[in-house]
Structure formats: C-alpha cells, structure tokens
Amino acid sequence: MSASGGLRFGFWPSTLRARLFLILLFGLAIAYGLSFTVLFVERSMSAKAVMLGTLESDVATSIAVLDRLPADQRGDLLDRLSRGNYRFELGPGLPGVPDNSSKGKEIGGRIEEAIGGTYPIRMESIPGDISRLQAHLTLSDGSPLTIDITPRPAMPIAAWLPYVLAIQMALLVLCTWFAVRQAIRPLGALAAAADELDPNKKGPPLSERGPSEVAHAARAFNAMRERIAHYLEERVQILAAISHDLQTPITRMRLRADMADESPEKDKLVRDLGEIERLVQDGIAYARSAHGSGEKFSRIDLSSFIDSIAYDYQDMDKDVSVVGLVQGVASTKPHALRRILTNFIDNALKFAGAAEIGVERNGEEAIVITVMDSGPGIPEAMLEAAMQPFFRLEQSRNRETGGTGLGLAIAQQLAAAIGGSVRLYNREGGGLAAEVTIRAN
C-alpha cells in the first residue's frame, strides 16, 4: 500500500497515457468478451434445443416406419432415415456400458417420450475418443434396433466469425489509443509549456484551440504567464525606484560623515553606510538577474576572457591564477558570465584568500569553468541551501565575514539566463569548487 492509499503493482506503467490506455482497453475487452460469451452460450443452448427437438420428432417417426415394414425391407431405409448426428442399425450394436450421465438420460428420455413408451429404451455409452451413445430397443416383432447417436450440436458460430472478432479487437485498440492520445496531448503540451516557462522571454503563447476545457486551461496558463512577467517587471521597477531614492540620502549621509570630526562613532557610521550601500546594490543586482537583461549572445575567446578576469584581480594584489591550458571559443553573454565568475572568485578570496580558475570541455557542446579554493568548504548538507538567496554560512550579522548572501543566488540566476547551470562541490583534500557550465557554440 502506498502513502496515498493506492495499490502499486510492478507492471503498472508510470505514464498517464499508458494507464488510461490499459484501463480503457481492458474494460472494453472484458465487456466485449462477456457479450461474446453470452452470445456463444445462448446460441449453443439454441443449437442443443434444435438438435434434441429434431432427434425427438424424427426418431419417433423413423421407429414407427421401421416397425411397420417387413423385416427384409428395413435395411433399405436405414441410410435414408439416418441423419448427421445419429443413424439406425439393425442388431444389438456395439458392446458398451450403461450410461447414467445427464446427457444420456436427457436423450433417452426425449426418445421414450416421443415414442410414447411403446418401446423401452436402454442407453449405453460406447468407449472411444469422442462422445458416442447407443439407444437399444426391441421392435414389436422382437427384432433388435440400435440408434447410434453422436451428440454433436451444430456449430453455433460461423467459421469466419473469429476473423471478424480479431478485426474488431484491432479497431478497438486503435480507437482506444486515438482517444487516449487526444485526451493526453493537451496535457503534454501544457507540461512542455510549463517547463519552458520564462517570463523574461517573449515566446509564443500556448495554443487555445481544442475542447472547451483544454482551451480554458490554455487561456489560464497564458494569463498566468503574463501576470508573472508583469509582477517581475514591477519588482525591478520598484527596486530601481528604491535604489534611486536611497542613493541620494546615502550620499548626503556619507558627505556629512566625512565632514564630521574624527571619532570612533564616525568610523562606525561610515562602515554602516557602506554596508547599506552594498546591501542595496546586491539586492538590485539579484532582482535584475532574476528578470534577465537585454544583453545578447556573442562569441568570446576563452583564453583572453579568463586571463582578463585573473589580471584584474592580480592588479589589486589578489591571489587569483589560471590553471591548465585554456583555449577555444564560447557563445555566451560576456557580462553575465563575468559577473558569475567574479562572484565565485570573491567567495573564494573571502574564505580561502586565493582562487584558481580552470577550464575544460564537457563533450562538443559544453564548457565547464571552475573556480577552486583551498578553504574550509561547505558541509554537504548545506551545499544546496548555499545557492538560495540570503543564505550565509557565517551566521553573524557581520557583513564583512558573512556578506549579503546573494552572490551565489545571483550567479545561479545569471547562469540560467545564459542557458547554463551552476554546481558547488567539495574538493578532495579540502576546499570548495564552484563551476558554471555553458554551451560552446
């Protein structure tokens, strides 16, 4: 029993399409099989009734005719009086055993009833591969007469009927598949549209054609996408307005602090103002990275691009180096990629004091750029949480050691905007590796 209370079977398919197909197919096949079984039984019973009725009337007439004929003329009529499932024989017949089956009793009773009890009937079963009965009686002149009966009712179905049934089952399977496909296809299109949902890209809306329920779901999805895009745009506008409004008072406060006399309080105020300014800038950067940017893709030379980033840090006396051979070109958004790598390098410098940049190809279409350090790393249980906004390993409120907690979140969203991905993992022997995978062409 599963957690939801439903039974799980090993053969039960995982897709809704296959499940609906099997349910409909099994249900229709069972109903079809029951209908065929009822028809077969009814026709078998009708055929049996016809056989017994024919046997009852014809045998009574034939016995009466044979009884009235002279003994030397009876043999001439035997073939004419015989039928497909019984024939007459003059004499005691084959040796058999008394038959007490319901079938033998029923046939014997019908014959006795038809001849009015004039000739006592003795039923015997003849051993063999097929069911065979013999009815023994004595005519009025003392001559023995045997009726050899093969209780084989007429075939209740035509020989071509199984082929028709096979064709009907094939049509049933085809119609079931088509019905399930028509029902599931809009759901698949909706799932694909949800996977590709990107409010930052103005893609074609989901088709609103089809049944009313499907059209309603498509309209609701398109409206939801428009609302999400509108909300994100509003968020960027609000943050931009907040940034603009905060810059002026922050600047005035910094000017007043610079004009104040030197004192411990002045130093604390300047640090607080710098902290506020960094927080505002990081928040705006995160919002813009979530909303995307208008930067276009372009091809860059990886060697020159990575070296320029390392040289910028080296000019500031930061221990940043490039390891291994870097070559080739990549198609990406240069400013977004530079921001991702600088966020990685800043974290490495903060926690380890040094950073190394490595580049390698992952197949023909992907390039992996890794920033490595020899710091304390991140506990395995926190690696996923470290990518969330405002998460800080340093739990104190000191921004110098803990930061704003947005650097990796910004990197992750920028990587998604350029069609890449970000991964963190601890290095063997200590240290952390932050890698971004981008497409080569």
Side-chain angles (χ1 to χ4, degrees), residues 220-242:
F221 179 84
N222 291 332
M224 178 192 69
R225 183 168 63 176
E226 293 295 330
R227 287 196 298 271
I228 292 175
H230 179 67
Y231 293 154
L232 289 176
E233 185 177 357
E234 277 190 349
R235 183 176 69 172
V236 173
Q237 292 176 351
I238 291 172
L239 288 175
I242 292 174

Side-chain angles (χ1 to χ4, degrees), residues 264-334:
E265 296 300 325
K266 174 185 175 181
D267 295 338
K268 294 179 181 179
L269 179 59
V270 171
R271 284 197 300 271
D272 289 342
L273 289 173
E275 204 171 298
I276 294 173
E277 191 171 11
R278 285 196 303 272
L279 182 60
V280 170
Q281 291 174 351
D282 285 350
I284 294 173
Y286 174 74
R288 287 176 176 170
S289 68
H291 190 63
S293 63
E295 185 182 5
K296 296 182 179 181
F297 280 88
S298 61
R299 295 172 66 84
I300 61 172
D301 179 78
L302 285 173
S303 178
S304 301
F305 183 79
I306 298 299
D307 285 342
S308 68
I309 295 177
Y311 291 154
D312 289 342
Y313 279 96
Q314 292 169 6
D315 290 341
M316 295 184 292
D317 294 328
K318 303 293 185 181
D319 188 1
V320 177
S321 59
V322 180
V323 295
L325 180 64
V326 180
Q327 59 182 359
V329 296
S331 177
T332 186
K333 296 181 179 181

Side-chain angles (χ1 to χ4, degrees), residues 131-153:
S131 177
R132 187 177 175 187
L133 301 174
Q134 285 190 348
H136 303 281
L137 56 93
T138 302
L139 297 176
S140 58
D141 62 355
S143 301
L145 179 66
T146 299
I147 308 173
D148 193 296
I149 304 169
T150 304
R152 185 175 61 247

Side-chain angles (χ1 to χ4, degrees), residues 325-371:
L325 180 64
V326 180
Q327 59 182 359
V329 296
S331 177
T332 186
K333 296 181 179 181
H335 294 296
L337 181 58
R338 179 179 289 270
R339 179 63 186 269
I340 294 171
L341 294 178
T342 55
N343 283 3
F344 288 167
I345 295 171
D346 289 342
N347 278 343
L349 293 175
K350 181 186 301 181
F351 292 103
E356 296 178 341
I357 308 174
V359 180
E360 63 180 11
R361 281 188 173 272
N362 186 6
E364 294 293 328
E365 299 182 354
I367 295 173
V368 180
I369 306 175
T370 308
V371 176

Side-chain angles (χ1 to χ4, degrees), residues 12 15 19 29 64 84 133 180-181 204 246 262 311 362 392 417 432:
W12 192 238
T15 62
R19 290 182 180 183
L133 301 174
V180 171
R181 182 174 179 270
L246 286 178
E262 296 293 334
Y311 291 154
N362 186 6
R392 291 183 294 145
L432 184 71

Side-chain angles (χ1 to χ4, degrees), residues 43-53 103 106 110 153-154:
R43 295 194 65 176
S44 297
M45 294 175 64
S46 299
K48 180 180 177 181
V50 170
M51 183 199 73
L52 291 176
K103 182 185 298 184
E106 183 178 11
R110 287 293 187 95

